[in-house]
Amino acid sequence: MAEPSQIALPLATRTPAGSQRIVIGAANAAAIEALQAPARWPFHVAVLTGPARSGKSLLGRWARSYHGDGALDVIDDAETMDETAVFHRWNAVQQGGSREGGALLLIANRDRAGNAGWRITLPDLASRIGGSLPIAIGAPDDDMAAELIHAHAEQRGLSLAAGAAEYLVPRTERSFAAIEALVAAIDRISLERQAPATMSVWRAALEALHGPEQQRLF
């Protein structure tokens, strides 16, 4: 498997490291490829979904910047927006987008059952969104999880001792949210102890999140 790569995003953060980046791996490579070609989207509309903390919003901002000049209208947390307003935005793309190259990207969280998109009650909107392109982010594999650990550490200005990813990846949950929480715990414990983020800190962070190692099954 090819090693994960990254897209640098010039977005302000609250961390000393400065800019955020999106790690590209098996979970999101196809999504990123689709976001680069809105002319191929049915009705010039796509719906991007993915697990919590998987970078959906960052991808939306990157895609809008990538296409530039207002060519891509992005609605984040689309499932929380008034459905009539979303319907009007869909119509606006049809009226001008096909001629001018404009498109609409809707970003939505998965529902509680884990289904992509959201439960739409407005029949006209449901039928139109049903005909749009679904773009899904999956769960990170081991290679991507390792790169995500380093990316979150860099964003926090946290220096991890050598071998961190090799030690941590087999011992934590394969999800974007869990990996982010793990690095946050390592950062917190390192600061509390005023100690470098070495194996003793990694172990403490894993125990704080998952319980003692002997009680965990991987």
Side-chain angles (χ1 to χ4, degrees):
M1 180 183 298
E3 292 184 0
S5 55
Q6 63 193 38
I7 294 175
L9 297 174
L11 303 173
T13 72
R14 299 179 182 178
T15 65
S19 64
Q20 294 173 296
R21 62 182 175 97
I22 294 174
V23 173
I24 304 174
N28 62 6
I32 291 170
E33 183 178 359
L35 289 173
Q36 294 180 71
R40 302 177 185 171
W41 301 351
F43 304 103
H44 302 273
V45 179
V47 180
L48 174 65
T49 62
R53 309 303 298 166
S54 59
K56 298 184 296 294
S57 297
L58 286 175
L59 279 176
R61 280 177 268 175
W62 168 79
R64 182 162 47 198
S65 175
Y66 177 86
H67 294 291
D69 298 326
L72 182 63
D73 185 12
V74 179
I75 301 178
D76 203 354
D77 294 321
E79 76 279 9
T80 68
M81 188 172 178
D82 179 77
E83 291 185 358
T84 301
V86 177
F87 180 69
H88 289 324
R89 297 274 278 273
W90 190 95
N91 282 334
V93 167
Q94 308 316 307
Q95 293 167 7
S98 60
R99 294 193 305 274
E100 301 172 6
L104 173 64
L105 175 64
L106 303 171
I107 302 174
N109 292 307
R110 298 186 189 277
D111 64 24
R112 293 183 180 180
N115 298 315
W118 70 99
R119 188 182 300 277
I120 301 173
T121 59
L122 187 65
D124 286 343
L125 178 62
S127 65
R128 285 159 175 77
I129 297 303
S132 64
L133 178 69
I135 302 176
I137 300 172
D141 60 11
D142 286 0
D143 290 340
M144 191 174 186
E147 186 62 24
L148 285 166
I149 288 171
H150 290 299
H152 285 301
E154 291 166 9
Q155 186 180 336
R156 290 176 166 273
L158 171 66
S159 179
L160 294 171
E166 291 81 358
Y167 181 84
L168 295 168
V169 169
R171 293 171 169 81
T172 194
E173 178 188 331
R174 301 303 189 283
S175 76
F176 291 95
I179 291 166
E180 184 176 2
L182 174 60
V183 176
I186 291 172
D187 193 20
R188 174 179 57 79
I189 293 170
S190 177
L191 289 171
E192 289 173 351
R193 295 183 177 183
Q194 297 185 351
T198 56
M199 188 175 292
S200 63
V201 173
W202 308 341
R203 286 173 174 166
L206 287 165
E207 184 169 335
L209 294 176
H210 304 301
E213 185 168 7
Q214 61 269 25
Q215 295 180 10
R216 287 182 254 138
L217 297 175
F218 301 100

